[in-house]
Amino acid sequence: MIKLSELYSGKAKTVFKTDDPEKLIMEFRDSLTAFDGKKKSEAPKKGYYNAQIAAKLLTLLEDKGIKTHYDSMMSDTEMIVDAVEIIKIEVIVRNIAAGSLVKKYPFKTGQKINPPILVFDYKSDEHGDPMINDDIALALGLATRPELLEIRKLALLINSILVDYLDAKNILLPDFKLEFGRRKGTIVLADEISCDTCRFWDKATGESLDKDVFRFDKGDLVAAYREVARRIVPEIFELT
Ligand code: 5GP
């Protein structure tokens, strides 16, 4: 496969066209931002760890029967994915109260949430990713009612698969963000699942092993991402 021109560059990934119109290359970069891009930094190997973690988790979901855009890895940081039409909804699943949920509502950090909370945000930097409901999503034409139902069902299924998988690695999953796309009439999981898009807490200590380390200056970001990689993709450490 040949990497062609850049299609889109986001805060942490760049997407390229390829010589196959059905495939794109998603490159995971070492840059990171938080708070609507107000806080910015670079972290060596962060793109590598996130790419490897995302590849493993997307493959896990594929193996469990969830359709995703994942195809294969082209290099350590470049993922070949199916071209999909991205649905402009950020789907957030919460199992343990943290982050904006605690800021906005009377939940206590660490409080278990069962059944999980599912929230839709409008994916729009211009509007600050505001929370929306089904009526707003429908009125904006972001998705149809059957698509919203399918997204909800898939997000909860993905959550239960990830919670069980991560628990066995001594990682708690307080919350995470998913994005979906349309491909040939079906809804597929798109984007990434990584330390940038999930809260990962060490099961024994509650220590953050995710982007909160950067957001709230909690210590060594690369060490935290490396620790998640060590637990989820130990095979990449055996090579060196
Ligand atoms: P919160 O609403 O607490 O800020 O975020 C909830 C969860 O969704 C966190 O795991 C966070 O990483 C993820 N999340 C929410 N919005 C975004 C976003 O715009 N970008 C990324 N990378 N993650 C997000």
Side-chain angles (χ1 to χ4, degrees):
M1 180 159 301
I2 301 166
K3 191 173 175 180
L4 298 177
S5 60
E6 182 180 310
L7 189 64
Y8 166 82
S9 192
K11 292 168 197 147
K13 297 192 297 297
T14 306
V15 179
F16 296 87
K17 289 184 195 169
T18 72
D19 55 334
D20 179 347
E22 299 273 308
K23 303 283 178 192
L24 300 173
I25 292 171
M26 211 163 73
E27 183 179 351
F28 290 70
R29 305 197 318 268
D30 287 341
S31 52
L32 72 169
T33 68
F35 308 118
D36 292 331
K38 287 183 203 94
K39 185 169 178 174
K40 287 185 193 166
S41 191
E42 289 277 321
K45 291 195 107 172
K46 173 230 166 209
Y48 170 58
Y49 293 132
N50 266 352
Q52 298 297 318
I53 292 163
K56 187 68 171 254
L57 296 178
L58 291 171
T59 305
L60 165 79
L61 294 171
E62 281 280 347
D63 290 347
K64 300 273 184 188
I66 308 273
K67 287 198 173 67
T68 81
H69 70 159
Y70 181 76
D71 178 297
S72 56
M73 292 305 283
M74 181 161 177
S75 74
D76 281 353
T77 57
E78 293 167 303
M79 183 183 286
I80 301 172
V81 297
D82 293 328
V84 302
E85 182 197 349
I86 289 287
I87 295 170
K88 292 199 165 299
I89 298 175
E90 295 189 344
V91 181
I92 295 162
V93 186
R94 298 180 178 276
N95 299 298
I96 302 173
S100 70
L101 192 75
V102 173
K103 248 191 181 168
K104 292 183 192 164
Y105 307 96
F107 289 103
K108 291 209 164 39
T109 301
Q111 186 180 334
K112 288 200 174 62
I113 301 164
N114 196 8
I117 293 174
L118 212 146
V119 167
F120 288 162
D121 284 356
Y122 175 38
K123 183 178 159 62
S124 165
D125 285 342
E126 189 195 340
H127 297 92
D129 295 350
M131 190 195 288
I132 55 173
N133 62 11
D134 285 15
D135 285 359
I136 296 177
L138 291 169
L140 285 173
L142 302 178
T144 65
R145 203 177 282 282
E147 284 177 335
L148 292 173
L149 277 171
E150 175 72 3
I151 287 170
R152 209 174 273 281
K153 198 182 83 186
L154 285 170
L156 291 174
L157 181 57
I158 291 165
N159 181 50
S160 62
I161 294 168
L162 292 178
V163 164
D164 287 350
Y165 176 82
L166 293 166
D167 186 67
K169 317 276 178 197
N170 290 317
I171 296 173
L172 295 175
L173 181 63
D175 53 41
F176 60 104
K177 186 256 306 176
L178 299 171
E179 293 182 26
F180 292 88
R182 298 181 188 95
R183 179 174 165 75
K184 296 180 179 167
T186 46
I187 301 286
V188 302
L189 179 64
D191 198 50
E192 67 183 294
I193 304 178
S194 74
C195 295
D196 278 6
T197 62
C198 301
R199 284 201 166 90
F200 292 137
W201 291 356
D202 179 78
K203 201 164 132 186
T205 65
E207 182 192 353
S208 288
L209 299 172
D210 56 58
K211 205 162 102 174
D212 274 355
V213 174
F214 168 66
R215 288 189 189 102
F216 306 113
D217 300 314
K218 289 180 167 197
D220 186 342
L221 175 104
V222 178
Y225 282 40
R226 189 190 310 119
E227 181 55 29
V228 174
R230 252 185 227 292
R231 297 188 201 184
I232 293 181
V233 272
E235 57 274 20
I236 66 173
F237 296 92
E238 285 154 18
L239 303 172
T240 51

